[in-house]
Amino acid sequence: MADHSHHVEIDKVTGTATTGHEWDGIKELNTPLPRWWIWTFYATIIWSIGYFIVYPAWPMVNGYTRGLFGYSSRAELDVDLAKLDQVRGEKMQALATASLEEIEKNPALLALARAKGKVVFGDNCAPCHGSGAAGGKGYPNLNDDDWLWGGTLEQIEKTIKFGARSGHDDGHMGNMLAFGKDGVLTKEQIVEVANYVRSLSGLSTRPGVDLAAGKQVFADNCVACHGDDAKGNQELGAPNLTDRIWLYGSDEATIIDTVTNGRAGVMPAWIGRLDPTTIKAMAVYVHSLGGGK
Amino acid sequence: MNKPLRATDLQPDDDGPLYTAQKKIYPQSVTGPFRRIKWILMAVCLGIYYFLPFVRWNRGLGAPDQAVLIDLANNRFYFFAIELWPQEIYYFTGLLIVAAIVLFLMNSLGGRVWCGYLCPQTVWTDLFYAVERFVEGDRRERMRKAGEGFKLQRAAELALKHSIWLMIAWWTGGAWVLYFADAPTLIKELVTFDAPMVAYIWIGILTFTTYTLAGFMREQVCVYMCPWPRIQAALTDEWALNVTYKYDRGEKRSSLKKAAQLRALGEPVGDCVDCNQCVAVCPTGIDIRNGPQLDCIQCGLCIDACDNVMKKIGRPTRLIGYDNDINIHRRMEGKPEIFKPIRARTVIYTVIIVAIGGAMLYKLANRTLLDVNVLHDRNPVAVRLSDGSVRNGYTVRFLNKRGFDRVVAIDVEGPPNAVIHVVGSDSITPDRPMIILGRDTTTELRVLVDSNSADDTPQSVPVTFHVTDIGLGEVASTKDVFVTP
Ligand code: SF4
Ligand code: SF4
């Protein structure tokens, strides 16, 4: 058993005093830590008390101690965010005052507009046009060079602002009529005109279909919007039928469907939902995707 | 001597307590070749550390002219003619690996030599001891003064010692921050209190650590805090040369007089006269005669001390010297000593050092000052244009590591009839866009490549971007693919 009397027991092997504690025949030696270690511990304890007092630390029933300086990490974050806003504010000011062309000519502003535009595009436009603006059936690909309503910076900005068939007074108007449903053209005429427009962009046509008849149907019904040369009309959003880009698809069945039932896709107006600077940034971003005129 | 001696035989049964409260150490001054080497190395190391920031290096207009500068704000590292970019951080990795292996090599040749001669802790502690000795006197005097009570002269001495220490410590912290900014400018700012807060904080931290580590912690850092002794103990092999007490020659210890008597009688007697000089000079306060110890930093001062004694009593020097147990045993068996600096591990370490160092030098020598990286658009990967041709979009990053603006032309090679556009730049040469790269910067641009491939089948062909400096003719290239939907 350990010796609990007052005299200090010295361990024979090491010559060190023991603490008197013994367990399973093993005695604990009294080997204190170096002094400097102990003082370091004391210093940290004293430090922690000061810390408790100076900073918010102690939980209470309804709240916590606020500390001497009233420090709060949330307030610090607010300050940082305010600073960020200020920094951005100056750049955004430049973005707001520069014209679309000026933005695109200025590498720093272009980078800023593209960065901002990409984020806003992702939030607002990607559901229809896709995150990379590649579009889909009925949703134009904004990377290519074919534009229903025009691909200049101003035209793109206008389309974003007011939309197409959006109900906004300044929005683009113009529908593809439902020639079949409304009984204007017969099924046969529709097949003929469908094959005719396919031939315009160099696509194969169904054998036995009278392309001359289709051309006549086109001349009688379609030129008003798509033009004599079928190159379309951006005032009306009428697509160019001679190129390789087809919004709804270029196969015969799809074209027959288009002519029979008409098309009227809607692009919403963003003015009022997004501020003008944001719309500007988005126009520059879309223009710089590659298709812009 | 019938039974061969072993290092462990030297330790008496009762080796004293496992742990004793830290004893204050009063190393005595010593002269000799190892001390001289240490003074020289100290002067060289401290000289480099304290004055390197003031060395100038002309890099042309607008570039910093400090020979060694870590420019954190602009992410540049300057080392004389070398300017490193963050992309080239692998040079530092390589340097660290080489440094580690050099340490291993030193260790396999001479044990803990790094600790004894080059470690900053040793260098600064040595300097602080020199100050202490200068102000308070040598070992005996310091020990006597420590035992005395308070006296005015003593207080003045202590005040002087601590102020010199603090000045050295403060200069140490000050020199540190000078590596991170233009030194003369920063000094001016420091004096007028215009320097950034972080500079003052770092000076404060390093002043404090230098003062406490070199003035008070001293050998305790080497014994308790530093991980290297433990690592090096595992790395050392039996051939490594360590500061060794040659007990084959030293034992039995006896006084000079007694040794002479015993020798006259033809009794075996060692050369050690038990004068304790080796212990008195030891900065870690150990007795090397107890055999190799983790606490020994291999500074060689005990060698100098003992050699001085041996010279005085007319015995051969190097009773303590760089040696190993193998040779002790060989001598005891009457065989000649052997030294094997060329061993498997030293060869391997050298090969690694040469290989990595060589690779880094090669890379450095062939470093390009114009670079281009490219990233293909992922969504959409390819776009069909109205005329049927195909367009791919890329984000291209240009790196101009030269100290002046330059005009580069971008060419693309691979897809048939490739045409290249740079978004946001109206080039005067439409089919060969030219752009200006600012000096010492990266420029990121969106680049579109059109190809009127006659083939409509989905495919991907290799595409190479060439960036040509119009003035210098320097060319950088990078590869990617061109995809047809
Ligand atoms: S034993 Fe000798 S070599 Fe080792 S630390 Fe002491 S003086 Fe230096
Ligand atoms: S200095 Fe040399 S002689 Fe003196 S005690 Fe040390 S080993 Fe022995």
Side-chain angles (χ1 to χ4, degrees):
Chain A
M1 260 313 284
D3 185 353
H4 286 295
S5 61
H6 286 296
H7 81 267
V8 180
E9 189 192 11
I10 303 290
D11 177 62
K12 279 207 200 71
V13 182
T14 59
T16 307
T18 73
T19 59
H21 302 156
E22 182 179 341
W23 196 82
D24 247 10
I26 297 170
K27 276 187 192 151
E28 183 185 33
L29 297 183
N30 186 11
T31 50
L33 285 170
R35 194 74 53 82
W36 61 266
W37 245 132
I38 307 229
W39 283 113
T40 312
F41 280 141
Y42 290 155
T44 55
I45 291 167
I46 291 165
W47 174 271
S48 73
I49 293 169
Y51 204 90
F52 265 142
I53 297 167
V54 171
Y55 287 102
W58 206 251
M60 314 254 257
V61 180
N62 48 4
Y64 57 91
T65 55
R66 306 275 152 169
L68 285 185
F69 299 162
Y71 171 88
S72 132
S73 53
R74 191 174 289 265
E76 193 161 278
L77 177 71
D78 285 346
V79 171
D80 285 351
L81 284 179
K83 261 192 218 146
L84 191 65
D85 281 352
Q86 200 191 340
V87 171
R88 285 203 177 146
E90 289 158 15
K91 283 191 178 169
M92 290 304 163
Q93 195 56 40
L95 203 59
T97 47
S99 75
L100 288 164
E101 280 79 13
E102 281 164 0
I103 294 171
E104 217 161 64
K105 287 284 159 289
N106 179 327
L109 283 182
L110 175 63
L112 177 66
R114 275 183 54 82
K116 187 179 171 67
K118 190 175 164 72
V119 173
V120 182
F121 188 92
D123 288 348
N124 299 285
C125 318
C128 292
H129 291 283
S131 62
K137 184 170 178 171
Y139 302 103
N141 182 346
L142 306 177
N143 294 277
D144 66 26
D145 60 344
D146 191 27
W147 295 88
L148 290 172
W149 309 100
T152 65
L153 275 166
E154 277 73 21
Q155 285 168 325
I156 293 172
E157 188 189 32
K158 183 174 182 223
T159 305
I160 297 171
K161 265 187 184 157
F162 306 120
R165 308 176 194 101
S166 60
H168 192 284
D169 289 347
D170 295 326
H172 297 302
M173 305 286 230
N175 290 333
M176 169 77 189
L177 302 176
F179 288 93
K181 217 164 71 182
D182 296 349
V184 181
L185 295 175
T186 65
K187 276 201 175 123
E188 200 190 2
Q189 283 175 309
I190 292 173
V191 171
E192 282 162 0
V193 80
N195 276 279
Y196 171 68
V197 294
R198 267 175 66 82
S199 74
L200 291 178
S201 41
L203 298 167
S204 61
T205 52
R206 200 200 297 184
V209 172
D210 185 353
L211 291 182
K215 185 175 183 175
Q216 193 53 50
V217 173
F218 188 86
D220 292 345
N221 299 278
C222 311
V223 291
C225 292
H226 292 283
D228 289 333
D229 51 3
K231 288 222 169 14
N233 182 348
Q234 291 182 344
E235 288 297 307
L236 302 165
N240 180 346
L241 302 178
T242 63
D243 65 18
R244 293 280 304 270
I245 294 167
W246 294 81
L247 184 55
Y248 291 90
S250 61
D251 58 303
E252 191 194 3
T254 303
I255 297 173
I256 290 173
D257 180 27
T258 302
V259 179
T260 307
N261 298 312
R263 301 284 185 188
V266 172
M267 156 90 179
W270 291 97
I271 193 155
R273 289 194 245 187
L274 299 175
D275 66 87
T277 310
T278 305
I279 290 177
K280 229 179 191 176
M282 215 147 67
V284 171
Y285 171 70
V286 169
H287 189 252
S288 74
L289 283 174
K293 300 279 184 199
Chain B
M1 216 171 285
N2 319 326
K3 176 178 142 250
L5 267 169
R6 301 196 161 274
T8 45
D9 292 340
L10 302 171
Q11 285 155 31
D13 272 343
D14 188 1
D15 198 19
L18 279 177
Y19 180 84
T20 41
Q22 194 62 39
K23 277 189 300 243
K24 185 140 171 47
I25 295 164
Y26 300 91
Q28 190 176 311
S29 66
V30 63
T31 51
F34 291 101
R35 179 66 264 186
R36 213 166 309 127
I37 293 173
K38 273 171 72 69
W39 286 133
I40 293 168
L41 286 176
M42 182 202 282
V44 171
C45 294
L46 292 180
I48 292 174
Y49 175 73
Y50 286 130
F51 296 107
L52 196 54
F54 298 99
V55 178
R56 300 287 107 183
W57 190 267
N58 188 9
R59 293 191 182 84
L61 217 66
D65 66 346
Q66 187 156 321
V68 178
L69 178 67
I70 301 161
D71 190 351
L72 290 180
N74 300 309
N75 280 321
R76 295 285 183 277
F77 175 76
Y78 302 94
F79 188 83
F80 294 92
I82 303 167
E83 178 194 332
L84 294 183
W85 282 42
Q87 289 88 338
E88 294 160 319
I89 196 76
Y90 50 80
Y91 285 113
F92 292 95
T93 317
L95 214 58
L96 286 177
I97 295 171
V98 168
I101 312 277
V102 166
L103 210 52
F104 293 178
L105 180 63
M106 280 163 80
N107 177 75
S108 62
L109 292 174
R112 216 174 154 181
V113 271
W114 160 263
C115 303
Y117 298 90
L118 290 166
C119 173
Q121 174 64 21
T122 296
V123 170
W124 264 283
T125 303
D126 225 8
L127 180 64
F128 273 45
Y129 267 132
V131 171
E132 191 166 84
R133 221 168 268 137
F134 170 73
V135 176
E136 295 182 39
D138 209 351
R139 176 176 160 90
R140 270 167 220 288
E141 239 174 305
R142 295 209 304 278
M143 289 170 91
R144 176 174 56 76
K145 283 175 183 166
E148 282 171 359
F150 177 82
K151 273 186 195 161
L152 206 61
Q153 197 208 335
R154 175 88 185 122
E157 262 180 24
L158 285 178
L160 178 62
K161 177 178 86 174
H162 286 282
S163 1
I164 300 177
W165 278 4
L166 277 170
M167 265 160 59
I168 296 172
W170 167 75
W171 195 8
T172 306
W176 172 261
V177 298
L178 297 183
Y179 284 90
F180 296 86
D182 182 62
T185 318
L186 182 60
I187 289 177
K188 226 173 283 160
E189 288 174 351
L190 284 169
V191 173
T192 55
F193 294 102
D194 288 330
M197 198 57 203
V198 62
Y200 294 102
I201 292 173
W202 271 109
I203 293 177
I205 291 174
L206 280 144
T207 305
F208 175 76
T209 51
T210 310
Y211 179 63
T212 44
L213 291 186
F216 301 96
M217 310 285 292
R218 297 176 162 177
E219 79 287 347
Q220 305 202 30
V221 175
C222 313
V223 178
Y224 298 113
M225 289 167 71
C226 177
W228 179 233
R230 279 134 273 260
I231 298 167
Q232 71 92 31
L235 282 170
T236 307
D237 66 358
E238 68 275 26
W239 289 103
L241 294 177
N242 283 312
V243 174
T244 308
Y245 166 66
K246 299 173 182 168
Y247 53 86
D248 58 316
R249 224 191 96 185
E251 303 292 312
K252 302 262 176 41
R253 305 170 197 169
S254 50
S255 74
L256 196 52
K257 220 160 67 195
K258 202 163 158 226
Q261 288 168 359
L262 288 171
R263 239 179 232 117
L265 293 172
E267 298 267 331
V269 62
D271 277 344
C272 176
V273 293
D274 224 354
C275 64
N276 265 320
Q277 282 304 296
C278 50
V279 180
V281 300
C282 177
T284 68
I286 56 168
D287 186 346
I288 190 65
R289 294 171 301 168
N290 289 342
Q293 291 153 71
L294 220 51
D295 303 19
C296 174
I297 58 170
Q298 314 264 318
C299 63
L301 293 183
C302 52
I303 304 180
D304 281 344
C306 188
D307 279 358
N308 293 341
V309 173
M310 289 298 124
K311 273 181 219 147
K312 239 176 258 161
I313 65 169
R315 307 288 305 170
T317 55
R318 294 297 142 87
L319 171 54
I320 302 176
Y322 278 92
D323 202 359
N324 55 35
D325 229 37
I326 291 178
N327 277 327
I328 292 182
H329 285 277
R330 288 183 69 88
R331 282 195 302 268
M332 288 197 302
E333 289 159 21
K335 294 184 202 155
E337 299 174 342
I338 39 171
F339 296 96
K340 268 175 83 171
I342 300 168
R343 310 191 296 279
R345 66 173 69 199
T346 55
V347 171
I348 292 170
Y349 291 153
T350 312
V351 167
I352 296 175
I353 292 167
V354 170
I356 299 179
M360 277 167 54
L361 283 179
Y362 176 81
K363 190 87 179 69
L364 200 63
N366 294 287
R367 190 170 172 263
T368 53
L369 296 173
L370 178 67
D371 254 335
V372 56
N373 300 318
V374 67
L375 191 70
H376 196 289
D377 276 6
R378 283 194 297 165
N379 178 18
V381 276
V383 178
R384 177 75 69 186
L385 298 184
S386 52
D387 64 358
S389 62
V390 178
R391 165 171 293 176
N392 278 200
Y394 304 86
T395 302
V396 185
R397 182 182 282 270
F398 306 87
L399 288 78
N400 176 14
K401 296 179 187 171
R402 288 201 187 268
F404 45 82
D405 292 359
R406 46 177 161 178
V407 180
V408 294
I410 310 162
D411 301 292
V412 59
E413 191 189 321
N417 305 314
V419 179
I420 182 164
H421 318 270
V422 175
V423 170
S425 113
D426 275 344
S427 185
I428 32 167
T429 47
D431 43 348
R432 197 185 188 211
M434 297 204 191
I435 53 166
I436 299 167
L437 303 182
R439 67 182 166 90
D440 203 29
T441 49
T442 61
T443 310
E444 196 179 89
L445 292 174
R446 184 170 163 73
V447 172
L448 306 168
V449 177
D450 294 355
S451 164
N452 63 350
S453 155
D455 196 352
D456 249 13
T457 48
Q459 57 181 326
S460 103
V461 295
V463 56
T464 311
F465 290 84
H466 299 290
V467 181
T468 312
D469 183 314
I470 296 300
L472 299 174
E474 237 177 296
V475 181
S477 304
T478 185
K479 284 193 173 64
D480 207 305
V481 288
F482 185 90
V483 181
T484 306

